[in-house]
Amino acid sequence: MKIRKLMTVLASIAMAGVMITGCASTNGGSSTGSSASEGGSSAADNGAGAGSGEEVNLTVWGSQEDQEILKQMCDEFAAANTDKKYTFTYGVVSEADAQKEVLKDISAAADVFAFASDQTATLVDSGALYRVTKNKDQIVDENTEASISAASIGGELYGYPYVSDTYFMYYDKSKLSEDDVKSIEGIMSKDIEGVTTNFAFDTDNGWYQTAFFFGAGCKLFGDDGTDPTQCDFNNERGYMVGEYLIDLVANPKYGANFDDSLVKAGFADGTLAAAVSGTWNAAEIQASLGDNYAATKLPEFTLSNGETVQMGSMANFKIMGVNSETKNPLDAMALAEWLTNKDNQKLRFEKRSFAPTNKELANDTETMNSNIAVGALAQQAQYATVQTSIPQCQNFWTPAEAFGQEIIAGTCTKDNLQEKLDAYVESVLATLG
């Protein structure tokens, strides 16, 4: 997160009205081999280098949900580059887990892998990323300024951005009106037949939890997210957030600990009216809700001083990186660029409801707003804060989880709230080991 408004971050998409995925994770490790098909015309400027029938083996890591589309894109890359014979091996490693898996042994990691933008600094500092040396200016020109910034360290580009990511609110419009979903209070005030949870949220997940603190004006690592000595979640406004969460969790209509599986199940069986999630769940939620499928920005909420504020959100980018120890750097860079080019960003938008970083696509207002989930992401974009990639952020996730769990368990009360918030912040700002 360089912390700055995603109106700047996703300027193009925000004009359209537009998980550690920060926190959604799949297990890594499994892989299957695949020989890419040959045929088609050669791309002259793809950076793969010259060679007559040279055999090149590349390992590619991506999330479980991305395996099918990755194989399709890789096969098309091989078909467009017939001067070499490409063989691909695929591994299941989510963007959230990439840093952990790569740094176990850089030499054994994939040649090309997807990672979340909050990992950029650590991967670069660890020497794991190959600096982009092919078509850099073109990549910079074609993608949003913030996405390029998230893939850069010290003015050098270390990855290929391809997805803008934050969360927003899905809701069942047979159960809640457009007016109801403007505020948490409006959602929670409803008695809805058959619904056990009016509003679901992953309270002990730091990526989501910050929505309340950011909404109240609190800052994580200073104004621009680069100061490892600053976190004000324990100030007066942070205290009001804590009060609000304590009261919200005590409401039986609130789903305090809903992860993706519970959100999807709740919409599927009709017991859930609204929930916070992202585009990665769009297809399944839409299938469950059918004509009642709707999505919008996060709601407002009212602090104890009577002030109504808009929930913020934490945002990041999906980036494709090249392993610094790859044996085929030109081919790996060419593949990473291919996987993240305009056509394949459009394919991800169409198949997976992912918001593109490509400027031309993002500026296509009509197309972006044709997708309900991406349109909601667009609405939330102006209230989002980009997730930092400074190493100190490693200290944030565990204290955030502990704070949320204590509120859910009832061990954090209004009597000891200041003490709990002080401990939260102290842990976040503790010296890295």
Side-chain angles (χ1 to χ4, degrees):
M1 148 172 129
K2 291 183 177 178
I3 297 190
R4 56 189 185 210
K5 293 294 183 183
L6 205 58
M7 177 70 83
T8 300
V9 175
L10 302 178
S12 305
I13 300 178
M15 287 171 63
V18 143
M19 72 203 185
I20 253 173
T21 314
C23 299
S25 170
T26 55
N27 293 329
S30 64
S31 64
T32 57
S34 172
S35 294
S37 60
E38 294 185 317
S41 60
S42 174
D45 61 350
N46 57 43
S52 179
E54 179 185 350
E55 295 187 5
V56 179
N57 299 309
L58 293 172
T59 298
V60 183
W61 283 355
S63 68
Q64 179 65 59
E65 297 81 4
D66 250 10
Q67 292 300 299
E68 182 177 349
I69 204 168
L70 275 176
K71 292 172 185 177
Q72 175 185 337
M73 292 175 182
C74 287
D75 284 350
E76 290 171 351
F77 171 81
N81 295 275
T82 55
D83 57 331
K84 296 184 181 182
K85 181 180 179 181
Y86 288 95
T87 299
F88 302 103
T89 300
Y90 302 95
V92 178
V93 178
S94 73
E95 296 88 354
D97 290 338
Q99 175 181 302
K100 177 182 68 177
E101 295 300 322
V102 169
L103 296 187
K104 284 180 179 178
D105 185 350
I106 297 173
S107 65
D111 299 278
V112 177
F113 56 90
F115 64 94
S117 61
D118 63 294
Q119 301 171 11
T120 303
T122 299
L123 288 169
V124 171
D125 289 346
S126 301
L129 288 175
Y130 197 96
R131 181 169 57 86
V132 177
T133 59
K134 178 69 176 179
N135 297 336
K136 174 184 175 182
D137 290 343
Q138 179 181 336
I139 295 161
V140 169
D141 288 343
E142 290 180 351
N143 291 281
T144 60
E145 180 182 355
S147 69
I148 292 298
S149 178
S152 302
I153 297 292
E156 296 290 349
L157 186 63
Y158 285 93
Y160 305 75
Y162 63 102
V163 174
S164 301
D165 212 2
T166 192
Y167 44 90
F168 46 89
M169 185 170 67
Y170 290 100
Y171 68 98
D172 183 335
K173 62 183 180 182
S174 72
K175 297 176 170 61
L176 294 168
S177 69
E178 290 185 6
D179 193 56
D180 292 334
V181 299
K182 290 179 180 179
S183 68
I184 294 179
E185 288 74 23
I187 296 169
M188 298 300 290
S189 68
K190 299 296 178 180
D191 292 320
I192 310 169
E193 185 177 356
V195 169
T196 56
T197 303
N198 286 25
F199 180 56
F201 191 82
D202 204 356
T203 310
D204 65 353
N205 185 321
W207 201 54
Y208 294 99
Q209 186 190 103
T210 54
F212 286 97
F213 287 101
F214 290 163
C218 296
K219 303 292 179 64
L220 178 63
F221 305 127
D223 289 336
D224 64 358
T226 62
D227 187 343
T229 69
Q230 296 295 317
C231 175
D232 62 6
F233 286 14
N234 61 338
N235 66 11
E236 180 182 1
R237 299 188 70 79
Y239 185 88
M240 287 190 286
V241 167
E243 288 182 308
Y244 189 88
L245 286 173
I246 289 170
D247 289 340
L248 187 60
V249 167
N251 191 321
K253 298 178 184 178
Y254 177 65
N257 200 17
F258 269 57
D259 60 14
D260 284 351
S261 62
L262 290 175
V263 167
K264 290 184 287 188
F267 281 127
D269 65 17
T271 59
L272 177 61
V276 173
S277 188
T279 57
W280 54 91
N281 286 325
E284 289 184 67
I285 294 174
Q286 184 171 15
S288 295
L289 296 181
D291 291 341
N292 295 317
Y293 173 66
T296 187
K297 68 174 179 64
L298 298 181
E300 297 176 341
F301 66 103
T302 302
L303 297 169
S304 58
N305 65 355
E307 181 183 356
T308 296
V309 296
Q310 168 64 49
M311 289 182 76
S313 59
M314 186 177 280
N316 65 13
F317 300 91
K318 297 184 190 299
I319 299 173
M320 201 67 67
V322 172
N323 190 324
S324 62
E325 297 190 26
T326 179
K327 296 178 181 178
N328 300 289
L330 291 179
D331 298 282
M333 280 193 290
L335 178 61
E337 184 177 350
W338 178 277
L339 295 174
T340 58
N341 65 19
K342 175 186 171 183
D343 289 342
N344 283 323
Q345 286 195 35
K346 183 178 181 181
L347 182 64
R348 290 178 184 277
F349 168 76
E350 293 170 344
K351 298 294 186 181
R352 299 209 57 204
S353 295
F354 282 162
T357 61
N358 178 274
K359 292 177 183 176
E360 186 176 345
L361 293 175
N363 282 327
D364 185 349
T365 304
E366 183 176 355
T367 300
M368 292 299 105
N369 284 339
S370 70
N371 184 297
I372 290 174
V374 174
L377 185 151
Q379 294 174 44
Q380 183 60 33
Q382 60 188 305
Y383 306 110
T385 299
V386 185
Q387 185 175 335
T388 185
S389 66
I390 65 170
Q392 191 69 32
C393 196
Q394 299 173 47
N395 271 11
F396 172 68
W397 309 109
T398 299
E401 180 180 14
F403 179 70
Q405 288 179 347
E406 287 198 276
I407 289 180
I408 293 169
T411 55
C412 177
T413 67
K414 293 180 182 180
D415 290 335
N416 64 15
L417 176 58
Q418 189 63 59
E419 176 186 340
K420 297 294 185 181
L421 285 168
D422 289 343
Y424 184 176
V425 170
E426 182 179 358
S427 295
V428 171
L429 300 180
T431 302
L432 292 173

